[in-house]
Structure formats: C-alpha cells, structure tokens
Amino acid sequence: MAAAPPSCCLVAFPPCAKDGLVVFGKNSARPRDEVQEVVYFPAADHEPESKVECTYISIDQVPKTHAIVLSRPAWLWGAEMGANEHGVCIANEAVNAREPAAETEALLGMDLVRLGLERGSTAKEALNVIVALLEEHGQGGSYYEDAGSCHSFQSAYLIVDRQEAWVLETVGKYWAAEKVTEGVRCICNQLSVTTKIDAEHPELRSYAQSQGWWTGEDEFNFSEVFSPADDHLHCCAGKDSLEKQEESITVQTMIDILRDKASGVCVDSETFLTTASAVSVLPQSRSSPCIHYFTGTPDPSRSIFKPFIFVDDVKLVPKTQSPCFGDDDPAKKEPRFQEKPDRRHELYKAHEWARVVIASGQEQGRKLRKTMRELEKQGLEAMEEILASPGPLDPAEVGDLFYDCVDTEIKFFK
C-alpha cells in the first residue's frame, strides 16, 4: 500500500481564534513536480438531465451550482481545497485504511470536495452531498498523474462554515463524521475520528462486524477499527502548534504554522512537496465577508498568500490557470497519463525563479523573501481593515482583489 501524502488541514474556533473568527488552513502535499492552479467558477444554472464530467466519470448535474474558488492539481476536475460563496470551505486528505482503496475509476476524493462546495450552502449540507454521492458512485481511481501505477486512497475531509466544522472520514462507501464547534481540530493522512461520532453510514458497524474488525462488545472506535494494523495515531503537529497559541490564533498564526518545515506541517521531501496552501477566515458575524487566501505556488515558506473575496463580479485570473488541452489532455484519454504536458501557469513560472533565489541562501534571496513578506503583510492589513469596518463591503473595491495581487506578484518577480 502506497503511503498517503502527508498533507495537513486545520481549523480553529473562537475563543481559541481571535475576534470572533473561524480560521481554516490547509497545506496540500503532492508529488513534487505537480502544478496546482487557483480557479474561480461563478454560480450557474443547469439544464434538466444534464451531466457533469468529473475527473474519471460523469454524474447527474444539479439545477444550480454555487460560486466556488478552488486550488487544484491542474490535471483533474476536483480540488484539494476550496471555498464557496456561502462561506463553506472544504479540504481533502488521502488516507490509508485497513481496506485498500478501489483502483476502479469512480469519484476521486478531490471531486467530492468540489461537488460539496458546488452543492452545499452549509458545512452539514456539503457533508450530506458528499456521502450521498459516495453511496451512489463510490470512490476510486488514481490520485496522481502517473502512468506507471495506480495510487488510490481512501478520503478524509474537513468541512467548515462560520458556525461549525465536520470531520468526515470514509472507507469505500462507509463513513463516520464528527461535529466540531470549539477549540482546534486537525486532520492529516490518518483516520482520526475515534468514539465521538455524530453521524455515520447506517451499516458502518455491521460492516465492521462482518469483516471481523469489531466484536460489537467494545465501544466502537472508528479509527481503531478501520486503520491499518501498523498505523499508530499520532497527533498532527499543526494541532500541537495551534493549541500552544491559546486564545490568540489569527490568519498570521495559521500562515506561520503552514510554513513550518521543522514540525513537518510544511512538506519538502524527496517525494512530496507542499505544492499549494490556503487559509480562510470566516467571521461568525454574517455582516462581515469571508476572506480566502491562496498561494497558487509551491512551498508556503517561499510563497505569498493572496486574498480573495466573493462578490458578484469577480475578475477572472488567467495567470493562475494552467493551459487547457481539451480532449487531447493525456489525463482524459485512455490509457491515461501516457505523457505529461507542461501545466505551469504564468504565476508558477514567475515564482520558479523566486524559489531558486531564496533556496540559494544568498543575500539576494534574503532580500527577496523580506520583500515578499512585506507584500503579503500589506494584503493582510488591508483585509483586517475590511473586517474591522462597520459599513457594508463595496463589491467594486474587491472584485479585482485576487487578480491585482497576482499581477503585482508576477511584476515583482520579473
């Protein structure tokens, strides 16, 4: 069984998080050379009986889908993490379980992230969408753009809105979910739901018994029953870091934790790299907008977190979108992945230079990193002003927000 990539998703609720804000963060650990793009899709109405083409299979479309912003591996339809116009955020983790994941092509965990965001206006609604689709279509297929072998995994999700979060962990079509409304919670590449189960597949326990994994006599512990025998639950390093902050967690706290290589939260190994990162701030007061920060580039310690706010006229950002190969895309043709096209977008290419300069450890690299942090700080301070402002948000002021930040970053690198 291939090791699941060591990604990390985190959420902090008030009063651990400051100022009545729910703070959500995710590092996406993926194969080192994989490109992630940041893409926006407006809300849309769909024809009756129309289909939606996911990464490997087509499923029935719904009459209306919400506006979404996604950070996703450029070759697939779904997403590693994203948010919708209603303040719902979802991130996905590949996990290993006692039962091997199906290699048969079905929905990917990442497809279910996008489907949950498109169809759910609260965290609980998104959870219901995901488990219904899981029951109907199953999960399976390769998580990587690799013709050599199929890397399939089970999936875990952190689904968050302004009021609550749900940790949803799945094994095939079976699942368990835990509701979180306070403190901090982390998910990584292991099952973590134990005995606090707030919703579950109706046949979950009988299935575990039929496999001989649970006697029915002890208390039912989901991760103990379904984890591989050699998997010893370790606490996510990000959760440790968040808990040390007590009642002072901010956007900056979350960004700093996602940048921490010493703890292992920020992955930079021979096989895997944190290829993209995201942080979202969800004010519990509905009069304030949710703000979502994306890097769109690898290694958060050498990247800039750029803000995005949902308004009616969001300006599209082609510079964070990878080239489109249509039906000729090797990910769409069978046998799949016979070649790997160049999927780098304009921001990714500009940022490659910055990564090399910073990695050199020279004076130029130190100056560059300092200037990048100053650029980021200006964005963070401007967003703090928006959150502190008593008046309503002017959509005209923020429709170009992400576009302008990306444009400034590229000009700066050039």
Side-chain angles (χ1 to χ4, degrees), residues 44-338:
D45 296 309
H46 304 280
E47 293 292 320
E49 296 183 26
S50 59
K51 297 279 186 184
V52 56
E53 197 176 308
C54 304
T55 302
Y56 297 130
I57 64 168
S58 293
I59 66 169
D60 291 337
Q61 185 54 286
V62 288
K64 183 173 178 56
T65 50
H66 306 311
I68 56 171
V69 63
L70 309 173
S71 183
R72 67 176 186 184
W75 62 271
L76 53 76
W77 180 85
E80 275 280 286
M81 57 259 198
N84 72 19
E85 61 185 303
H86 300 291
V88 179
C89 299
I90 310 180
N92 162 261
E93 294 284 341
V95 290
N96 289 125
R98 206 163 188 168
E99 183 169 296
E103 294 189 2
T104 313
E105 290 185 350
L107 290 173
L108 282 178
M110 291 169 281
D111 293 339
L112 288 161
V113 168
R114 177 170 175 176
L115 290 161
L117 291 169
E118 286 186 338
R119 302 178 180 196
S121 57
T122 65
K124 185 63 166 57
E125 259 184 38
L127 180 142
N128 292 340
V129 165
I130 291 171
V131 299
L133 290 167
L134 197 56
E135 182 73 29
E136 187 177 353
H137 301 286
Q139 59 181 325
S142 186
Y143 265 59
Y144 304 151
E145 190 182 15
D146 179 3
S149 60
C150 178
H151 303 270
S152 60
F153 300 99
Q154 308 290 7
S155 301
Y157 306 86
L158 186 57
I159 310 170
V160 182
D161 64 23
R162 294 174 187 257
Q163 304 305 323
E164 63 187 32
W166 286 85
V167 175
L168 168 64
E169 298 186 337
T170 67
V171 178
K173 69 172 186 175
Y174 300 99
W175 56 273
E178 175 191 341
K179 183 177 175 179
V180 183
T181 55
E182 59 184 17
V184 301
R185 185 68 161 86
C186 166
I187 66 168
C188 44
N189 60 343
Q190 292 179 305
L191 298 175
S192 64
V193 173
T194 56
T195 55
K196 184 187 180 294
I197 298 174
D198 297 298
E200 65 187 81
H201 187 284
E203 294 158 21
L204 176 70
R205 298 181 193 220
S206 58
Y207 178 70
Q209 277 185 285
S210 73
Q211 299 297 307
W213 298 338
W214 182 55
T215 62
E217 290 163 17
D218 317 333
E219 186 176 22
F220 185 78
N221 181 317
F222 179 77
S223 66
E224 263 181 26
V225 170
F226 283 97
S227 291
D230 56 355
D231 222 13
H232 301 292
L233 186 64
H234 61 79
C235 186
C236 170
K239 184 169 186 279
D240 287 349
S241 306
L242 276 181
E243 282 174 341
K244 284 176 192 157
Q245 301 293 328
E246 290 177 336
E247 297 188 1
S248 60
I249 296 164
T250 61
V251 179
Q252 188 64 61
T253 317
M254 189 65 82
I255 289 173
D256 291 345
I257 288 169
L258 295 183
R259 284 181 166 146
D260 185 2
K261 288 189 176 174
S263 71
V265 172
C266 180
V267 176
D268 189 353
S269 68
E270 283 181 25
T271 321
F272 297 115
L273 179 68
T274 297
T275 54
S277 304
V279 169
S280 291
V281 184
L282 315 175
Q284 292 195 305
S285 161
R286 293 201 167 270
S287 60
S288 297
C290 297
I291 304 175
H292 313 282
Y293 299 84
F294 295 93
T295 59
T297 52
D299 190 347
S301 71
R302 297 168 185 170
S303 290
I304 298 174
F305 283 82
K306 299 165 282 290
F308 173 97
I309 296 176
F310 282 95
V311 287
D312 285 342
D313 286 322
V314 169
K315 189 169 182 179
L316 298 177
V317 187
K319 290 172 183 175
T320 61
Q321 282 182 257
S322 295
C324 178
F325 300 98
D327 291 337
D328 291 330
D329 195 314
K332 290 188 176 174
K333 294 193 294 193
E334 294 189 52
R336 299 193 198 275
F337 314 129
Q338 296 305 297

Side-chain angles (χ1 to χ4, degrees), residues 331-348:
K332 290 188 176 174
K333 294 193 294 193
E334 294 189 52
R336 299 193 198 275
F337 314 129
Q338 296 305 297
E339 51 191 292
K340 258 191 186 175
D342 183 357
R343 299 189 187 275
R344 294 174 303 158
H345 47 74
E346 200 174 327
L347 175 63
Y348 188 99

